[in-house]
Amino acid sequence: GQQLNQSPQSMFIQEGEDVSMNCTSSSIFNTWLWYKQDPGEGPVLLIALYKAGELTSNGRLTAQFGITRKDSFLNISASIPSDVGIYFCAGPPANTGTASKLTFGTGTRLQVTL
Amino acid sequence: KAGVTQTPRYLIKTRGQQVTLSCSPISGHRSVSWYQQTPGQGLQFLFEYFSETQRNKGNFPGRFSGRQFSNSRSEMNVSTLELGDSALYLCASSRDRGFSPLHFGNGTRLTVT
């Protein structure tokens, strides 16, 4: 089945550093979503992207919808300890007909050291 | 505004039993979807309900079923439980089936022994 590949798989960074992660697909997506999941909780929506080339920010987070529609990037600036968690990209494949049937990426586990 | 509420948070069942999980969507949201999350397979789509009708189904056996009520609340049922069904089951809701993004609950952790 379709897969979304995220990289890196995990990363250790120091507080205050900037973080970049990306997500690539073998097929086209019309929507890209970025979620964060903390231990014991469900994924929380961070950013939604709806148009190729779109660049959207949410506080210290910035995400971009790739021009090819097969990739997306998430940047976190000036990381803080509460940024720790697993970040997932997700999207409904272009031929799904609904935004509810999401394919999720493999996740990027972020750990922040003081 | 209350988020997506799932009950119970934790369940322990034995093989062969069946289980029912409950989900209350965000007020005003009419679409409810269910996902299974495991360390090996990640997050996988189970099914989607809208207006009390199943609109999409993932690649899971028929032991997995669900339903949606007129107030948009949803339940999912797993019959004849297997060890491999141990997972975090997540419910998500959205306003409609179009561009509205999914908002997830905190899940039900099911352990099958």
Side-chain angles (χ1 to χ4, degrees):
Chain A
Q2 191 164 54
Q3 285 190 338
L4 293 179
N5 296 310
Q6 280 186 250
S7 65
Q9 214 171 8
S10 65
M11 52 196 316
F12 285 82
I13 61 167
Q14 286 200 321
E15 185 178 4
E17 287 185 349
D18 295 345
V19 175
S20 291
M21 59 190 79
N22 67 51
C23 185
T24 58
S25 167
S26 57
S27 56
I28 287 171
F29 278 68
N30 289 330
T31 300
W32 283 98
L33 306 169
W34 283 93
Y35 287 88
K36 176 178 181 257
Q37 187 173 26
D38 292 329
E41 298 185 7
V44 173
L45 181 67
L46 299 174
I47 292 180
L49 302 159
Y50 298 106
K51 192 175 173 184
E54 180 181 355
L55 186 71
T56 298
S57 293
N58 178 8
R60 294 178 297 105
L61 277 59
T62 301
Q64 183 160 26
F65 192 141
I67 288 291
T68 65
R69 295 164 64 194
K70 291 184 178 182
D71 57 9
S72 179
F73 306 87
L74 177 69
N75 296 315
I76 304 172
S77 63
S79 58
I80 58 178
S82 62
D83 290 334
V84 166
I86 303 177
Y87 292 79
F88 291 100
C89 61
N95 59 354
T96 303
T98 172
S100 297
K101 185 176 181 181
L102 298 180
T103 296
F104 275 83
T106 48
T108 293
R109 182 182 297 272
L110 179 63
Q111 293 182 266
V112 180
T113 56
L114 298 175
Chain B
K1 195 173 186 182
V4 177
T5 304
Q6 292 188 245
T7 56
R9 284 298 307 272
Y10 303 94
L11 264 179
I12 300 176
K13 293 284 188 179
T14 56
R15 277 180 299 177
Q17 288 187 313
Q18 74 163 17
V19 67
T20 299
L21 313 180
S22 181
C23 172
S24 293
I26 292 171
S27 179
H29 284 196
R30 298 168 60 198
S31 176
V32 173
S33 303
W34 289 87
Y35 286 78
Q36 182 196 64
Q37 185 175 28
T38 59
Q41 299 297 318
L43 280 143
Q44 292 187 292
F45 172 79
L46 278 159
F47 25 64
E48 174 201 5
Y49 285 87
F50 183 80
S51 293
E52 302 177 63
T53 303
Q54 187 180 91
R55 303 292 177 154
N56 271 291
K57 191 176 192 311
N59 190 24
F60 280 83
R63 300 184 296 106
F64 291 81
S65 63
R67 59 177 175 167
Q68 186 181 34
F69 302 95
S70 58
N71 61 359
S72 295
R73 194 176 67 84
S74 177
E75 289 180 347
M76 69 162 278
N77 185 278
V78 187
S79 62
T80 320
L81 284 166
E82 300 177 0
L83 295 178
D85 297 333
S86 295
L88 181 66
Y89 290 88
L90 292 160
C91 171
S93 73
S94 63
R95 273 202 315 273
D96 51 47
R97 304 186 68 228
F99 287 111
S100 302
L102 293 184
H103 296 269
F104 285 84
N106 284 330
T108 294
R109 171 74 61 184
L110 172 64
T111 302
V112 182
T113 62

